[in-house]
Amino acid sequence: MNRHAIWAIYRVEMARTVRTLLQSVVSPVISTSLYFVVFGAAIGSRIDQIDGVSYGAFIVPGLIMLSLLTQSISNASFGIYFPKFVGTIYELLSAPVSYLEIVIAYVGAAATKSTAIGLIILATSSLFVPLHIEHPFWMLAFLILTAVTFSLFGFIIGIWAGTFEQLQLVPLLIVTPLTFLGGSFYSIDMLPGIWRTITLFSPVVYLVSGFRWAFFGKADVSLGLSLGMTLAFLFACVAVIAWIFRTGYRLRT
Amino acid sequence: MQPAIAISGVSKTYASGFNALKSVDLDIKHGEIFALLGPNGAGKTTLISIVCGIVNRSSGTVSVNGNDIDRDYRMARSLIGLVPQELTVESFETVRSALTFSRGLFGKPANPALIEQILKDLSLWDKRDAKIITLSGGMKRRVMIGKALAHEPKILFLDEPSAGVDVELRQDMWAMVRRLRESGVTIILTTHYIEEAEEMADRVGVINRGEIVLVENKEELMRKLGRKQLRLELRHPLDAVPQALAGYGLELSADGGTLTYTYDNQSERPGVASLLRDLVTEGIAFRDLDTLNSSLEEIFVNLVRKAS
């Protein structure tokens, strides 16, 4: 194991977060606060409770998931796309590092960042609504699991993307719609029949549901299903990455 | 002993169908400076990229110090330092952290004293905490050299190292290359500046259209293929080359005032001494004479032209 290499990459990636603190940490916190104002105060005042939880508190897990997904994807995709774009990837490819080490370093850094942002948003939320977390361990486990899974997904996008436009394409066209269809701001029981069925195809439903269970002990789908679907997506990403490195896809052309 | 690099039957066809390398065989010896010459698009960079692990080859094998670049890639790659042709640097990193990163990436524990020494050797110490984006092109090139040396490689690739580099840096760089060679580092460089290969290299390889056209000791190459010219400025212009001197293949200038005799070391033509004797016999007097050695550049141009 080339741990010096993992550490070197990880440190550079984390250093970029610190350098761009405003963009990478402050902006998600501000936008989440705005969600609270709009959904929690303006709309939430007209919705009593969902499953016995006040609407303001109900949307907290969804909001954290929303940021966690987008941040994991953007951090990880940018982290590997940027060296490709400026050409410094030559050094990574010529270095004595294994695929596993590359993935651990880049995905680890991206997941660390988004987990930290998730926790910051959680802390911010507690300023707006009284929060009680039913299963803190599972909350943290879902947080980290999701961060790692979607950082892996972002890593794939970063390797696939040939232009900055493509880099934005998947998050904008797929991830954002999936998140809104994923029950972040509502219980999927509130949707009319056909839409309810459609949302069950969104992996985000299972993430949010599991995460919400960790908070309130109540969920749209069972915990086992949530965990299973998340793990299934994780392994799908790992399989794609293994294939990318085995074939040199878009890396060693 | 194993060669520093053994390339055997390496071919590369890109996805576009472009056949960049056609079964290349090449051995690089330990401790030598090897210059790879070739026109643009000949396959120099592709060959280097394959050895360094940046590009997948279509067929063939490469080993570095006996380590197969697939099976023992860790060992093979940790021996190699690469300074690529393009100026590609992490703009927002500082000079020192860029070198520290490279060393870590190649699996070596941190060594601030060594990094300091490299930066000083490359006249970068004053800029150690500057962001790379603020540096001039020449300085960025120095940073890239520093990054390649940060993990103490045993083999150094310099791909077009003097492209867009000023005289001062070029001299610094060649001084450094000599120092590295003295410490036992094997150096492979590609260059357009043939006088550099001529000055620096122990051996020269010429690649054209994806094929190695020739590999030779530089002196041997110059001796074998080098041509010499003797130019005689005549005291009295001639109308034509006298019949008696026809066997020399002399060229008479348009004004009839200069005779040029071209010969090489394996020529069947009679030598300079007999020409001078015959000139005296013919009563042709000359005012001055000079001789010219053809440079590696001319040899190279001739080879490539012949091959294509």
Side-chain angles (χ1 to χ4, degrees):
Chain A
M1 200 69 152
N2 185 347
R3 56 198 170 78
H4 291 297
I6 296 176
W7 180 233
I9 297 171
Y10 187 86
R11 246 183 28 180
V12 165
E13 288 299 299
M14 293 311 283
R16 196 178 47 233
T17 316
V18 175
R19 220 163 34 220
T20 57
L21 203 63
L22 214 60
Q23 185 201 329
S24 51
V25 177
V26 177
S27 89
V29 170
I30 290 177
S31 57
T32 311
S33 304
L34 289 176
Y35 275 119
F36 270 113
V37 173
V38 175
F39 286 97
I43 297 174
S45 61
R46 289 156 192 272
I47 302 174
D48 277 351
Q49 286 192 331
I50 300 174
D51 291 341
V53 179
S54 80
Y55 185 70
F58 179 83
I59 62 172
V60 170
L63 278 178
I64 296 174
M65 272 295 160
L66 185 72
S67 291
L68 200 63
L69 294 187
T70 48
Q71 287 296 318
S72 297
I73 291 175
S74 79
N75 285 331
S77 62
F78 190 78
I80 190 71
Y81 177 76
F82 194 64
K84 252 179 35 169
F85 178 70
V86 298
T88 49
I89 190 99
Y90 83 86
E91 203 180 15
L92 187 65
L93 297 177
S94 67
V97 288
S98 71
Y99 306 145
L100 184 65
E101 288 153 6
I102 293 175
V103 172
I104 290 175
Y106 277 102
V107 170
T112 306
K113 261 184 265 183
S114 49
T115 305
I117 290 168
L119 291 172
I120 291 171
I121 291 173
L122 180 63
T124 315
S125 312
S126 67
L127 299 178
F128 290 90
V129 285
L131 269 181
H132 167 73
I133 300 167
E134 199 97 347
H135 309 284
F137 167 79
W138 282 105
M139 192 279 292
L140 210 57
F142 264 106
L143 197 70
I144 293 170
L145 189 63
T146 308
V148 170
T149 305
F150 280 81
S151 296
L152 285 167
F153 187 53
F155 188 84
I156 296 172
I157 294 171
I159 285 181
W160 164 80
T163 61
F164 269 104
E165 199 199 1
Q166 289 178 342
L167 195 64
Q168 303 292 341
L169 205 64
V170 178
L172 283 178
L173 288 186
I174 299 176
V175 178
T176 309
L178 282 186
T179 319
F180 277 92
L181 275 181
S184 307
F185 303 114
Y186 52 86
S187 164
I188 56 172
D189 291 331
M190 294 160 79
L191 291 175
I194 177 75
W195 284 103
R196 189 175 185 283
T197 316
I198 289 173
T199 44
L200 288 177
F201 287 97
S202 165
V204 178
V205 165
Y206 304 95
L207 295 174
V208 172
S209 172
F211 200 47
R212 194 172 282 144
W213 171 85
F215 274 80
F216 308 121
K218 296 188 184 75
D220 286 342
V221 296
S222 76
L223 175 66
L225 191 58
S226 288
L227 207 56
M229 290 299 263
T230 311
L231 288 174
F233 192 54
L234 175 83
F235 288 122
C237 290
V238 169
V240 172
I241 288 175
W243 173 83
I244 283 173
F245 279 116
R246 211 177 47 244
T247 59
Y249 172 77
R250 301 236 166 157
L251 284 176
R252 295 186 164 93
T253 43
Chain B
M1 193 161 71
Q2 304 267 19
I5 295 174
I7 298 169
S8 157
V10 166
S11 303
K12 173 67 187 178
T13 307
Y14 283 101
S16 62
F18 175 62
N19 196 354
L21 293 175
K22 298 163 190 160
S23 192
V24 168
D25 298 304
L26 181 64
D27 279 2
I28 308 290
K29 298 173 189 165
H30 280 281
E32 72 173 339
I33 299 182
F34 186 90
L36 191 60
L37 302 180
N40 286 331
K44 301 185 294 279
T45 301
T46 300
L47 187 61
I48 288 181
S49 300
I50 286 174
V51 175
C52 294
I54 298 168
V55 169
N56 282 338
R57 62 199 180 282
S58 304
S59 62
T61 58
V62 181
S63 64
V64 179
N65 222 351
N67 302 288
D68 183 272
I69 59 163
D70 290 331
R71 217 176 38 245
D72 313 311
Y73 72 95
R74 273 190 209 273
M75 198 58 212
R77 289 186 199 165
S78 63
L79 294 170
I80 294 178
L82 165 67
V83 184
Q85 190 173 342
E86 304 279 332
L87 269 183
T88 50
V89 279
E90 289 277 9
S91 303
F92 304 108
E93 290 292 320
T94 66
V95 171
R96 182 158 42 181
S97 70
L99 266 69
T100 307
F101 169 75
S102 297
R103 185 173 169 85
L105 194 60
F106 278 75
K108 294 279 173 76
N111 185 344
L114 177 90
I115 300 292
E116 179 177 340
Q117 189 54 50
I118 293 173
L119 288 175
K120 283 179 174 164
D121 287 347
L122 289 163
S123 315
L124 281 172
W125 185 242
D126 294 340
K127 301 276 184 189
R128 61 191 178 274
D129 293 320
K131 284 195 174 166
I132 295 174
I133 197 169
T134 64
L135 302 181
S136 68
M139 284 288 181
K140 284 179 187 153
R141 177 74 63 184
R142 286 173 199 252
V143 172
M144 294 189 67
I145 297 170
K147 280 166 75 73
L149 294 176
H151 67 281
E152 304 158 89
K154 294 282 169 277
I155 298 165
L156 183 65
F157 281 94
L158 299 165
D159 195 1
E160 300 285 351
S162 32
V165 153
D166 63 14
V167 179
E168 194 193 350
L169 173 52
R170 223 192 283 181
Q171 283 168 349
D172 280 7
M173 200 158 62
W174 296 133
M176 190 195 68
V177 165
R178 286 199 187 89
R179 273 202 309 275
L180 286 169
R181 202 259 294 263
E182 276 160 31
S183 71
V185 175
T186 307
I187 291 146
I188 297 111
L189 59 97
T190 71
T191 177
H192 278 115
Y193 298 93
I194 296 172
E195 65 269 26
E196 277 174 3
E198 199 169 337
E199 191 191 330
M200 302 292 305
D202 302 309
R203 283 199 310 153
V204 175
V206 177
I207 185 169
N208 192 35
R209 296 185 177 196
E211 287 173 298
I212 298 279
V213 184
L214 159 152
V215 178
E216 196 79 78
N217 281 329
K218 186 187 65 194
E219 270 86 31
E220 188 80 358
L221 183 66
M222 304 283 286
R223 200 174 57 73
K224 253 206 258 179
L225 295 173
R227 296 189 309 166
K228 287 189 157 196
Q229 284 190 327
L230 172 68
R231 275 197 358 212
L232 298 159
E233 276 183 48
L234 303 179
R235 206 171 280 277
H236 308 291
L238 290 174
D239 295 332
V241 180
Q243 197 58 42
L245 301 176
Y248 290 101
L250 299 176
E251 281 170 57
L252 188 63
S253 63
D255 64 356
T258 314
L259 268 179
T260 308
Y261 173 47
T262 306
Y263 60 103
D264 58 49
N265 299 308
Q266 299 154 321
S267 175
E268 296 101 45
R269 290 176 181 174
V272 180
S274 78
L275 172 66
L276 293 181
R277 246 187 340 263
D278 288 352
L279 283 173
V280 175
T281 316
E282 289 296 308
I284 299 171
F286 50 91
R287 195 167 33 204
D288 198 4
L289 64 83
D290 61 292
T291 63
L292 285 169
N293 270 315
S294 64
S295 66
L296 194 51
E297 178 148 8
E298 288 170 77
I299 297 173
F300 168 69
V301 170
N302 283 336
L303 266 172
V304 169
R305 202 173 283 154
K306 213 189 296 172
S308 46

